[in-house]
Amino acid sequence: MLPADEQLMAAYAEGDMQAFELLYHRHRERILGYLFNRLRDRDEAEEVFQTVFAKLHAARDRYREDIPFLPWIFTIARNALIDHLRRNQSVSRHLTFTDDAGVDVADPRTQRLSIGDALAELSSLSPGQRQVLELRFDQDLSFEDIALQLQTSSGNARQLVSRAVRRLRKILSGKEM
């Protein structure tokens, strides 16, 4: 039986390069696909991908085995993606946020804040709100899967996502500044 990602990351933090290689090969395509899906440019996706693993390497000593690895690495990937988009001033080409109803929250025709300003304002979301939005929209998890990740009920997971989406809408519409 293969070791869990969390065990591999803990081993890597202690210097086990084989653990790192296994993590890298296990998640390379998924993370690269996530980045390519948002950037629509292979070179940019690979550039951000390299940044993700550089950040993973830099943060390896701070990783705790009680933190699920996959959401942790995707948080690093999302943050690296946002940093890349900010640096390249190409946010409006790449990012869209949608809720379950298919409303385009970041539609430039309806928003009052620029995308760059909106991204800066996202820091006002709580870590829990950012996590549920990532699980639901970045990782495309069902409410049941989110509930398992957060060790809560499916109904509560649905409510957490709904609250986070409402908060995100307020931020993007400029009502909370």
Side-chain angles (χ1 to χ4, degrees):
M1 184 170 178
L2 293 175
D5 292 339
E6 293 77 13
Q7 294 168 325
L8 290 171
M9 189 61 204
Y12 173 52
E14 293 176 8
D16 184 346
M17 288 307 292
Q18 287 181 330
F20 169 78
E21 288 176 20
L22 188 52
L23 280 170
Y24 179 86
H25 291 294
R26 191 179 281 181
H27 299 293
R28 179 186 193 290
E29 292 303 316
R30 189 170 184 184
I31 294 168
L32 195 52
Y34 163 80
L35 295 169
F36 179 75
N37 188 37
R38 276 137 186 91
L39 293 168
R40 301 287 184 213
D41 181 283
R42 184 88 177 157
D43 292 335
E44 279 187 87
E46 288 179 358
E47 179 183 331
V48 176
F49 176 79
Q50 293 302 319
T51 302
V52 170
F53 277 90
K55 287 183 178 200
L56 175 133
H57 176 74
R60 73 187 183 283
D61 294 332
R62 294 186 306 271
Y63 179 77
R64 293 188 341 250
E65 207 170 333
D66 62 317
I67 298 172
F69 176 78
L70 210 50
W72 184 75
I73 189 73
F74 272 94
T75 299
I76 292 172
R78 186 195 70 231
N79 291 340
L81 174 66
I82 291 170
D83 290 345
H84 171 79
L85 293 172
R86 282 181 182 155
R87 271 193 316 276
N88 292 311
Q89 305 277 323
S90 59
V91 174
S92 62
R93 278 193 311 149
H94 299 300
L95 285 184
T96 59
F97 298 96
T98 59
D99 65 6
D100 286 333
V103 176
D104 190 358
V105 179
D107 183 348
R109 296 168 296 195
T110 61
Q111 73 185 43
R112 295 184 187 124
L113 290 175
S114 73
I115 298 292
D117 291 340
L119 287 174
E121 292 296 319
L122 289 179
S123 63
S124 66
L125 288 175
S126 72
Q129 289 172 324
R130 288 192 303 269
Q131 180 184 20
V132 297
L133 289 175
E134 176 187 331
L135 292 171
R136 180 69 179 149
F137 300 110
D138 286 343
Q139 296 182 27
D140 213 17
L141 295 181
S142 69
F143 293 112
E144 291 77 22
D145 291 337
I146 294 170
L148 287 173
Q149 287 269 341
L150 300 178
Q151 298 179 346
T152 189
S153 69
S154 177
N156 190 42
R158 184 179 300 273
Q159 189 172 34
L160 291 170
V161 171
S162 178
R163 286 179 184 159
V165 167
R166 280 195 306 271
R167 175 99 167 131
L168 181 59
R169 280 185 183 146
K170 286 180 181 179
I171 291 168
L172 292 174
S173 69
K175 292 180 182 173
E176 287 199 19
M177 298 195 66

